[in-house]
């Protein structure tokens, strides 16, 4: 039950008090200062009690610990707005490093110096994957961004006045060069791929032709393939999280939902792959009729027709390259290979960006800066040769230039 206590002689300042259960044997009380008449204070106390009971009340920054605010933020914002994988990553960073270090601090104690000390502490923390070395600058920067995003919402929700992270400089990250196969390595890879099963050849050819994200290619269904117009639609993505298993979600961004044209040779492989799956289904028999084929509309399925695991492409590719004694290449690198080949072929950057599903052409330009520089150098050399050329007749004699009288 709510109560009010007069805090001044004029009767215009009140302390609103609401019971909020027990913490062990001790009753928890929420308190809030209110300015106004006694009648207004009583009404405000009733509303205050309703907020507390419905979990909508966040104590002032002097009373609220970072860990308490994070719990509320996850429930009210994170679970409703973040992608499952992003939320899982945020929780992992919060629970493993951020909250154990500064979670007990009240929000009003989170000054820039505290955030800076946290960054320094992170630099000395060991990796969770048990590999040698400390956390990378990129990983530390991810922790910084996670905390900053949460505290910025605290500012927007009038819980704190300013985001302490805004006055702290995160560690600089050296831009990693995108490693892709060159022409010789690509040729050797495709030659070796000829010995792979049809399903796997189709997977790799399709990836090189489209540059889809791993989750996008594993989320493709046969309804997405247009055999009449030689194209496919990206409508969903397949992902996996420990504790949740394999699940389907919308593509990463609105721009990620896109239609891509496909070359004829890739379409031919897709037709062969689809026919092969139909044969296998007939051989195993439908699960509903006592057979083993459990059925799925996905392009890439397990031996009994269930959707393939989202991480299967990368795991298979790593093993295949090792067996063939070829240079390592992640599945995501094939996406980069698609982009660099497109840029080298003169495809406009805007089209490359759209095919990759990037929400901003600047993202594409930033990732493939080296490829763009190479194309720019090639263009400059072509222009130089053009300027050096002298117009000639077919018999090799120089043309006479007719002067225009003015």
């Amino acid at each position: 039950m709510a109560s009010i206590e007069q805090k001044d002689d004029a009767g215009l300042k009140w302390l609103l008090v609401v019971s909020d259960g027990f913490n062990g044997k001790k009753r928890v009380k929420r308190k809030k200062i209110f300015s106004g008449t006694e009648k207004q204070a009583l009404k405000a106390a009733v509303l205050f009690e309703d907020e507390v009971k419905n979990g909508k009340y966040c104590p002032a920054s002097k009373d609220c610990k970072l860990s308490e605010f994070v719990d509320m933020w996850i429930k009210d914002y994170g679970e409703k707005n973040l992608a499952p994988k992003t939320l899982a990553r945020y929780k992992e960073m919060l629970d493993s490093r951020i909250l154990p270090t500064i979670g007990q601090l009240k929000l009003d104690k989170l000054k820039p110096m505290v955030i800076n000390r946290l960054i320094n502490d992170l630099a000395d923390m060991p990796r969770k994957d048990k590999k040698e070395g400390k956390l990378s600058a990129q990983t530390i920067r991810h922790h910084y961004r996670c905390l900053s995003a949460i505290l910025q919402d605290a500012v927007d929700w009038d819980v704190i006045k300013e985001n302490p992270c805004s006055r702290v400089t995160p560690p600089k990250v050296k831009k990693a060069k995108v490693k892709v196969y060159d022409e010789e390595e690509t040729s050797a890879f495709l030659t070796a791929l000829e010995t792979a099963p049809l399903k796997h050849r189709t997977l790799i050819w399709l990836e090189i032709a489209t540059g889809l994200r791993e989750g996008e290619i594993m989320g493709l269904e046969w309804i997405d393939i247009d055999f009449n117009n030689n194209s496919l639609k990206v409508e969903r993505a397949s992902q996996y999280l420990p504790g949740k298993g394999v699940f389907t979600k919308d593509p990463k961004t609105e721009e990620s939902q896109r239609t891509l044209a496909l070359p004829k040779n890739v379409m031919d492989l897709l037709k062969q792959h689809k026919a092969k799956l139909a044969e296998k289904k007939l051989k195993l028999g439908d699960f509903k009729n006592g057979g083993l084929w459990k059925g799925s509309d996905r392009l890439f399925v397990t031996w009994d027709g269930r959707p393939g695991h989202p991480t299967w492409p990368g795991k298979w590719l790593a093993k295949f390259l090792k067996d063939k004694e070829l240079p390592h290449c992640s599945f995501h690198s094939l996406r980069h290979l698609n982009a660099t080949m497109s840029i080298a072929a003169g495809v406009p950057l805007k089209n490359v960006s759209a095919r990759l599903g990037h929400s901003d052409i600047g993202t594409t330009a930033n990732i493939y800066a080296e490829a763009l520089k190479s194309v720019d150098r090639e263009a400059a050399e072509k222009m130089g040769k053009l300027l050096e050329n002298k117009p000639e007749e077919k018999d090799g004699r120089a043309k006479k230039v007719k002067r225009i009288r003015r």
Side-chain angles (χ1 to χ4, degrees), residues 198 222 270-280:
L198 175 63
W222 288 110
L270 284 170
K271 289 176 184 177
Q272 294 174 41
H273 176 51
K274 187 175 184 181
K276 192 78 173 178
L277 287 179
E279 288 178 14
K280 196 168 187 179

Side-chain angles (χ1 to χ4, degrees), residues 197-361:
L198 175 63
K199 169 185 172 180
H200 302 76
R201 275 188 288 128
T202 305
L203 170 77
I204 300 302
W205 276 46
L206 184 61
E207 175 59 25
I208 294 176
T210 61
L212 295 182
R213 299 178 179 93
E214 194 170 29
E216 291 173 340
I217 204 165
M218 293 306 291
L220 286 175
E221 297 183 355
W222 288 110
I223 194 173
D224 303 323
I225 310 299
D226 187 341
F227 287 102
N228 293 322
N229 295 304
N230 290 356
S231 64
L232 65 76
K233 285 185 178 180
V234 180
E235 298 284 352
R236 71 198 69 76
S238 179
Q239 287 191 346
Y240 168 81
L241 282 175
K244 186 171 184 176
V246 178
F247 61 96
T248 301
K249 63 177 286 291
D250 290 334
K252 191 174 182 179
T253 62
E254 186 176 335
E255 288 76 15
S256 295
Q257 291 182 313
R258 58 203 188 276
T259 299
L260 304 177
L262 295 174
K264 185 179 181 302
N265 52 3
V266 174
M267 294 303 300
D268 290 340
L269 264 184
L270 284 170
K271 289 176 184 177
Q272 294 174 41
H273 176 51
K274 187 175 184 181
K276 192 78 173 178
L277 287 179
E279 288 178 14
K280 196 168 187 179
K281 179 180 179 180
L282 189 63
K283 182 179 179 180
L284 294 178
D286 197 301
F287 186 75
K288 294 179 181 178
N289 299 324
L292 297 174
W293 187 262
K294 295 183 179 179
S296 170
D297 290 330
R298 296 286 166 89
L299 266 65
F300 301 104
V301 296
T302 58
W303 68 272
D304 57 355
R306 291 174 290 117
H309 197 281
T311 61
W312 164 72
K315 291 180 178 179
W316 174 83
L317 179 61
K319 185 178 183 302
F320 176 79
L321 294 174
K322 186 177 181 180
D323 291 343
K324 298 295 182 181
E325 298 181 347
L326 292 170
H328 174 72
C329 170
S330 68
F331 190 80
H332 193 74
S333 291
L334 299 182
R335 175 174 165 85
H336 294 320
L337 179 61
N338 166 273
T340 52
M341 288 196 310
S342 297
I343 292 171
V347 177
L349 188 61
K350 182 177 180 181
N351 296 79
V352 175
S353 182
R355 285 183 67 87
L356 292 174
H358 286 163
S359 57
D360 181 9
I361 192 173

Side-chain angles (χ1 to χ4, degrees), residues 99-111:
L99 294 183
T101 306
I102 60 172
Q104 77 284 359
L105 295 179
K106 299 292 179 66
L107 290 177
D108 69 320
K109 300 298 183 183
L110 292 179
K111 304 298 182 183

Side-chain angles (χ1 to χ4, degrees), residues 70 74 90-100 146 150:
V70 165
I74 289 174
Y90 271 30
K91 285 182 176 179
E92 190 273 329
M93 290 188 287
L94 289 163
D95 295 340
S96 65
R97 298 189 180 97
I98 297 176
L99 294 183
C146 169
I150 293 171

